Amino acid sequence: WDEAHFGKFGAYYLNQTFYHDVHPPLAKMLVGLSELLAGHNGSFEFKGGHTYPAYVNYRFMRVFNAGFGIALTPMAYITCRKLRMPTEFAAMAALFVTFDNAICVMSRFILLDAPLLGFTGLALTMLTCFYRQRRHPFSPDWWRFLLLTGLALGLVASAKWVGLFAVALVGSFTIAELFEMFCNTRLPMRIYAKHWAARIVALIVIPFCVYALCFKVHFSVLSRYRSAASFMPIGFQTKMRGNPISRQPYEIQTGSAVRLQSHTSATGYLHSHVHKFPTGSMRQQITGYGYADPNNIWNIRRVAAAGSFQRAEDVSATADAIAGAIGDGDIVTLHHNSTSTYLYADPGYEAPYSKQYREVSAMKDSEPGALSSNSLWVVEIVNPERRMNDGHIHPLGTPIRLRSAAKGCTLLSTGERLDKNWGWSQAEIACDIGDSSSQSSSSYLWTIERHINANLTSVNLGKFMSSSFLRDLAAINRQMWITNNALVPDHDKHNVLESGPISWPFMVYPMRMV
């Protein structure tokens, strides 16, 4: 079951290999720690249905995980005593937790649920301890339990996002407490402001720092490249060991083969294939595809240099190619090698889904009109890496916009998905004829992620790239959110593997595992 899932993630920490998951890393790092303490070498991949080999001490890993479930018993007792329950009733509550069937089962396997429950219980226990100090504000114990509550919130949010319900619980209590103080007219405003400041630091700043620290450790340990890192910022990828993108030719020139990656999460690469649009021009589809594929490769050719023309639409697409490095303001064509087509903007047709945009398709290079102003694109450099800011486009570090010479429309990823029956659920790519001043978002930006040119020497591009931890943190959390939202219920398994919470107290249809 999920031991196959999370045991594998724990092994990635031992191998120092990057992976992607919908959950924050803390609980999985603890799984990795249990595997390290158990003497695991990271070679077993925890494949479902396989027997644990002799060299994998899975019993120790399960005992390690069970410790978080065991800790719930004393925390339940302390919490009830802090809420002024009699000793007998607090002991009864602790026994209820001890012998709860679901907790017993969930705690004894290599899952994330036991750390999640343990940190949730810790947050509630620290909150009740802090509550008991409410008549002694700013005393050493008051500060101690307030700060420990913030620490526990950081831990529970770093284990699983569902732990944010514990944050909501503490937040609700804090709001009620501050409102009660606000209504106390005898409380000096200076003291009231001090209460606000203390809670902001303890319950917002500290949890965020703990959350960020978990990702900092996560990034530091997982230093070995894997394709799962492809959604991360380019600067992050180039710092990883074994990454395939750092060594490439530096200058993009006429005749280079390139792979264009969108700056919009989950769009992937500019892609085309032989399938046609069912509406509009009914020409070959242009899409965004998230995986490396030969159909992502385009041959770039410069037909006009910046400053050599007054109007882009007057440039001839059949002009001889101009050799040399391609730069800002140059006009190029993009030829799809696999299908012998050109990237073609046609403002006469609406995009398949986003009707406010125009269609972008691929036209066969043998068709009349394939080489026209509709297949010409003006290159616009946007915020390049400081060490690549020389007016030319380079792999990885030079974001660009592609503006059609025909009507000035700009290539973009709309964020929509094409129909799975004819568009294979790939990302919709279109052209925006709107005001250029509104086209500054990541939807309009592309980076040449892969550059192939046998006539040029490859260099280490990593030395030109910068990386920011906060940018990396935002990127991975955005991708976690997107991945999590993409998980949809499987209706074929409904009422076979799942059950509703309303049925649990009565054991009408309990959770399958417990």
Side-chain angles (χ1 to χ4, degrees), residues 248-321:
Q248 301 186 54
Y250 182 61
E251 288 189 334
I252 310 297
Q253 298 191 4
T254 290
S256 291
V258 299
R259 184 165 68 195
L260 288 157
Q261 185 177 33
S262 171
H263 283 223
T264 304
S265 296
T267 294
Y269 305 105
L270 186 66
H271 176 90
S272 188
H273 43 233
V274 295
H275 304 284
K276 306 291 195 295
F277 286 120
T279 60
S281 69
M282 298 188 179
R283 282 193 286 267
Q284 185 173 307
Q285 296 172 16
I286 295 292
T287 65
Y289 185 57
Y291 303 94
D293 187 275
N295 284 332
N296 302 336
I297 303 298
W298 301 81
N299 193 276
I300 190 166
R301 180 177 69 100
R302 179 170 60 162
V303 296
S308 65
F309 52 88
Q310 289 187 337
R311 297 192 312 167
E313 55 264 36
D314 295 335
V315 173
S316 172
T318 59
D320 292 338

Side-chain angles (χ1 to χ4, degrees), residues 294-466:
N295 284 332
N296 302 336
I297 303 298
W298 301 81
N299 193 276
I300 190 166
R301 180 177 69 100
R302 179 170 60 162
V303 296
S308 65
F309 52 88
Q310 289 187 337
R311 297 192 312 167
E313 55 264 36
D314 295 335
V315 173
S316 172
T318 59
D320 292 338
I322 302 175
I326 298 172
D328 185 47
D330 290 352
I331 294 182
V332 301
T333 62
L334 288 168
H335 185 262
H336 192 244
N337 296 346
S338 299
T339 59
S340 300
T341 54
Y342 283 103
L343 183 67
Y344 192 89
D346 200 335
Y349 298 101
E350 294 177 338
Y353 275 88
S354 306
K355 302 302 182 183
Q356 70 272 33
Y357 301 129
R358 303 291 98 185
E359 180 191 280
V360 177
S361 61
M363 181 179 279
K364 278 287 185 183
D365 52 19
S366 57
E367 291 184 39
L371 279 175
S372 65
S373 59
N374 293 54
S375 56
L376 294 180
W377 299 87
V378 182
V379 176
E380 298 177 354
I381 295 177
V382 182
N383 297 326
E385 284 285 339
R386 181 174 56 84
R387 283 166 283 191
M388 288 185 173
N389 191 10
D390 59 3
H392 295 137
I393 57 174
H394 306 285
L396 308 184
T398 313
I400 60 172
R401 276 193 299 258
L402 292 172
R403 193 179 303 280
S404 170
K407 298 293 182 181
C409 69
T410 307
L411 192 72
L412 84 154
S413 169
T414 67
E416 299 291 339
R417 291 278 160 183
L418 299 176
D419 188 281
K420 64 180 181 181
N421 294 314
W422 56 263
W424 320 107
S425 297
Q426 294 179 13
E428 182 187 43
I429 305 298
C431 206
D432 184 7
I433 58 175
D435 184 8
S436 60
S437 62
S438 64
Q439 298 173 357
S440 57
S441 73
S442 60
S443 303
Y444 299 88
L445 297 182
W446 303 83
T447 290
I448 295 175
E449 184 259 2
R450 189 67 178 156
H451 175 209
I452 304 167
N453 192 322
N455 298 321
L456 301 176
T457 302
S458 294
V459 300
N460 179 17
L461 297 174
K463 64 183 181 182
F464 298 99
M465 303 298 297
S466 61

Side-chain angles (χ1 to χ4, degrees), residues 199-242:
R199 285 161 175 79
I200 289 172
V201 171
L203 304 180
I204 297 177
V205 175
I206 288 180
F208 175 78
C209 289
V210 172
Y211 187 79
L213 178 62
C214 288
F215 277 96
K216 182 69 173 179
V217 175
H218 176 75
F219 292 153
S220 300
V221 174
L222 304 182
S223 59
R224 196 183 304 276
Y225 183 86
R226 190 164 159 264
S227 59
S230 60
F231 68 88
M232 292 296 291
I234 297 293
F236 178 90
Q237 295 183 48
T238 58
K239 303 297 188 291
M240 302 183 78
R241 289 181 292 158

Side-chain angles (χ1 to χ4, degrees), residues 174-189 192 195-196:
T174 302
I175 291 171
E177 191 181 35
L178 289 171
F179 181 74
E180 186 178 347
M181 292 181 195
F182 179 75
C183 295
N184 182 1
T185 56
R186 292 177 296 178
L187 184 69
M189 187 56 65
Y192 182 61
H195 276 283
W196 268 93

